[in-house]
Amino acid sequence: MTRIVHSYSSLKQFEQCPKQFHEVRVLKRYKQEDTDATRYGTAVHKAIEDYIMLGTPFPTEFAKFQPVVDQVLAKTKGERTCEAKLGLDDLGHTRDFFAEDAFLRGVPDLMVVNEPKKVAYIVDWKTGKSSKYADPEQLELMAVIAMCHNLAIETVRCALVFLVANDIVTADYNRGQLPALLAKWHRRGYDVQKLVDAGGPWNARPNSLCRFCPVTSCPHHPNSE
């Protein structure tokens, strides 16, 4: 039996196209290749992480993002970590990111914990040109995992920071919401796992992103094999 560890990106991939999810995540026949956009995003994230954690100056090409990062840091006081790898099991217990019994995973770009104020801040840096299709659910899962990992946190204040578009999408969550939110994300994971155990069906779901899909064997791919 193939056991799947779920993340925001994997669950969104499943909802976008079950066939792509099956080919990439379960069978591993295809790999999502990097693009110019993803390589650019990776470089920006690394520059921000080095600036925050090591004090490394921004490279010239990314210096335009420093004022926005500085504004975020000024508003988020506490213990900072970048790219923290966090995991939960299927009961909501904390687990190492790579643990065999991990069920949900998350990697917040920036997490700031202020235990005296019982608040955490989670920031996800975005390099897309528009915030039009921003999905706060990504923040919701990060907030759930953060509250499970630190019982002192009562409130999680989250933000998708669109560096290029100069826009911010925010969402706040509190511990009173945790049971319902945890159940929601576990249910989404269970629904996928049940399909994996049953062997499908893995129906293709044609959409506007088909031209970027790595599954070239799919009949809906513009370059179908």
Side-chain angles (χ1 to χ4, degrees), residues 43-96:
V44 171
H45 279 69
K46 183 65 167 62
I48 294 175
E49 178 180 354
D50 289 348
Y51 175 71
I52 292 173
M53 302 306 295
L54 303 175
T56 305
F58 274 88
T60 302
E61 64 268 35
F62 303 142
K64 58 188 176 183
F65 300 137
Q66 181 175 337
V68 177
V69 174
D70 285 341
Q71 289 175 18
V72 170
L73 296 178
K75 295 177 181 178
T76 55
K77 301 298 184 181
E79 183 179 350
R80 296 170 180 156
T81 56
C82 291
E83 304 294 332
K85 293 179 170 60
L86 307 174
L88 299 178
D89 69 9
D90 58 357
L91 296 176
H93 300 143
T94 60
R95 289 291 184 268
D96 181 81

Side-chain angles (χ1 to χ4, degrees), residues 127-141:
T127 53
K129 296 180 180 179
S130 172
S131 60
K132 182 177 180 181
Y133 300 106
D135 186 358
E137 277 203 326
Q138 179 179 1
L139 301 175
E140 182 180 283
L141 179 57

Side-chain angles (χ1 to χ4, degrees), residues 3 19-20 31 36-37 50 52 63 86 94 107 112 116 122 127-128 150 158 164 167 178 180 214 217 221-222:
R3 189 174 185 280
K19 181 175 177 62
Q20 184 190 90
K31 182 180 179 182
D36 289 343
D50 289 348
I52 292 173
L86 307 174
T94 60
V107 184
V112 183
I122 288 177
T127 53
N150 192 321
C158 306
V164 176
D167 194 12
L178 182 58
S217 61
H221 196 286

Side-chain angles (χ1 to χ4, degrees), residues 2-21:
T2 302
R3 189 174 185 280
I4 303 298
V5 182
H6 306 282
S7 65
Y8 166 80
S9 60
S10 72
L11 291 170
K12 289 298 291 185
Q13 183 182 43
F14 170 77
E15 291 167 0
Q16 176 183 303
C17 181
K19 181 175 177 62
Q20 184 190 90
F21 175 92

Side-chain angles (χ1 to χ4, degrees), residues 30-221:
Y30 297 87
K31 182 180 179 182
Q32 201 86 43
E33 299 294 339
D34 286 338
T35 64
D36 289 343
T38 59
R39 283 189 287 269
Y40 179 80
T42 298
V44 171
H45 279 69
K46 183 65 167 62
I48 294 175
E49 178 180 354
D50 289 348
Y51 175 71
I52 292 173
M53 302 306 295
L54 303 175
T56 305
F58 274 88
T60 302
E61 64 268 35
F62 303 142
K64 58 188 176 183
F65 300 137
Q66 181 175 337
V68 177
V69 174
D70 285 341
Q71 289 175 18
V72 170
L73 296 178
K75 295 177 181 178
T76 55
K77 301 298 184 181
E79 183 179 350
R80 296 170 180 156
T81 56
C82 291
E83 304 294 332
K85 293 179 170 60
L86 307 174
L88 299 178
D89 69 9
D90 58 357
L91 296 176
H93 300 143
T94 60
R95 289 291 184 268
D96 181 81
F97 187 85
F98 297 105
E100 291 185 0
D101 60 345
F103 186 73
L104 293 172
R105 286 176 175 167
V107 184
D109 291 343
L110 171 64
M111 183 167 66
V112 183
V113 176
N114 189 323
E115 288 195 0
K117 292 187 176 181
K118 299 182 180 182
V119 63
Y121 305 91
I122 288 177
V123 177
D124 195 87
W125 313 109
K126 297 295 185 184
T127 53
K129 296 180 180 179
S130 172
S131 60
K132 182 177 180 181
Y133 300 106
D135 186 358
E137 277 203 326
Q138 179 179 1
L139 301 175
E140 182 180 283
L141 179 57
M142 293 297 100
V144 166
I145 295 176
M147 282 189 281
C148 288
H149 270 263
N150 192 321
L151 300 180
I153 296 173
E154 293 292 338
T155 302
V156 183
R157 295 174 180 160
C158 306
L160 298 173
V161 178
F162 288 81
L163 297 161
V164 176
N166 194 27
D167 194 12
I168 298 178
V169 176
T170 62
D172 290 355
Y173 304 93
N174 61 67
R175 187 162 292 277
Q177 298 172 281
L178 182 58
L181 293 179
L182 190 58
K184 167 188 169 179
W185 286 96
H186 276 140
R187 182 172 61 253
R188 289 174 68 170
Y190 288 140
D191 288 345
V192 176
Q193 187 63 52
K194 282 189 288 187
L195 202 60
V196 172
D197 295 343
W202 301 102
N203 300 319
R205 191 170 294 161
N207 58 75
S208 61
L209 298 177
C210 282
R211 67 186 187 276
F212 302 114
C213 180
V215 186
T216 52
S217 61
C218 178
H220 301 289
H221 196 286

